[in-house]
Amino acid sequence: MKRGWFYLIGFLVLVLFDSVGAISFKYAGMHALPVEANTAWLLRLFGKPWIYGAVIGYIGAFFTWMTLLKHAPIGPAFAASHLEVVSVMLLSIWLFNEPLRLPHVLGAIAIVAGIVCLGLAESREHVPEEDEA
Amino acid sequence: MPTGTISPLVALLWVLNVVLDTGGQLAFKAAAGDPAAGDGLARWLYMARRPWIWLGIASYVIEFLIWIAFLSLLPLSEAILLGSINIVAIMVAGRFLFGEKLTRMRVAGILLVTLGVAIVGVGG
């Protein structure tokens, strides 16, 4: 059962890093407004700490993903790695007071269902190499 | 805070994000999947002398900035849903360029994700 906990905690850490990355990206953009295609915008962007939070989130997610992939079956791993869509949605409602509107809820349900299908498709193709230890 | 209207600029940033993300992934795949590359340090040196890995890195650096601009102009909850289209684009491109299989389950997944993104894009 040790393995189950390893996956569960690993996936939670992955979703956490992905969410921190996405939220830091948003804050980075908000603090550098207005968006311009010039160096002034880049200086505003890199002059605030948020963008470094985004980089840390991405690097953390990358190494967590690589660690998980060493052992975890690819299907569930793939699905879990994209389910930050849900956590980021919920966090943005809370942090940025974004309204939760019907098209977003319906769209999110279809996207999550699609991600689950893709995860199942991956699992089926990689069955033989699963769980040898 | 703009409330989810998709302006031409937002649409352009969205398309650029998909193109750069897919292009970057495919470039990395081309770099990593080259059987002539060898192993260990020699493999990295071989990859560094060819354009693919640099193309991938350049795509990602530009995508990073495009993604921030995109997020600045849309609510995050909406932007993260619209960004899910990258999953579809990479799978479809993998099918055409690397002959990766599209099983029935994969097609179902691709259609559902696309449907979800369309609902958010049109209704958002």
Side-chain angles (χ1 to χ4, degrees), chain A residues 69-123:
Chain A
L69 270 194
K70 221 187 243 177
H71 305 291
I74 182 77
F78 170 86
S81 74
H82 286 97
L83 289 180
E84 91 271 7
V85 170
V86 175
S87 61
V88 169
M89 255 185 95
L90 296 176
L91 285 169
S92 15
I93 291 161
W94 173 50
L95 288 173
F96 306 110
N97 297 314
E98 293 178 3
L100 184 64
R101 286 177 298 130
L102 189 62
H104 294 187
V105 177
L106 294 177
I109 291 171
I111 290 169
V112 168
I115 290 170
V116 170
C117 284
L118 293 172
L120 287 172
E122 299 290 333
S123 302

Side-chain angles (χ1 to χ4, degrees), chain B residues 60-102:
Chain B
Y60 270 38
V61 169
I62 301 169
E63 186 200 346
F64 184 84
L65 298 172
I66 299 269
W67 181 239
I68 293 178
F70 183 68
L71 289 187
S72 309
L73 300 172
L74 277 183
L76 179 60
S77 52
E78 185 171 342
I80 197 90
L81 292 174
L82 294 174
S84 303
I85 201 69
N86 286 356
I87 305 171
V88 171
I90 288 168
M91 290 214 165
V92 173
R95 163 74 183 76
F96 284 110
L97 290 171
F98 297 105
E100 292 172 4
K101 273 182 296 178
L102 282 187

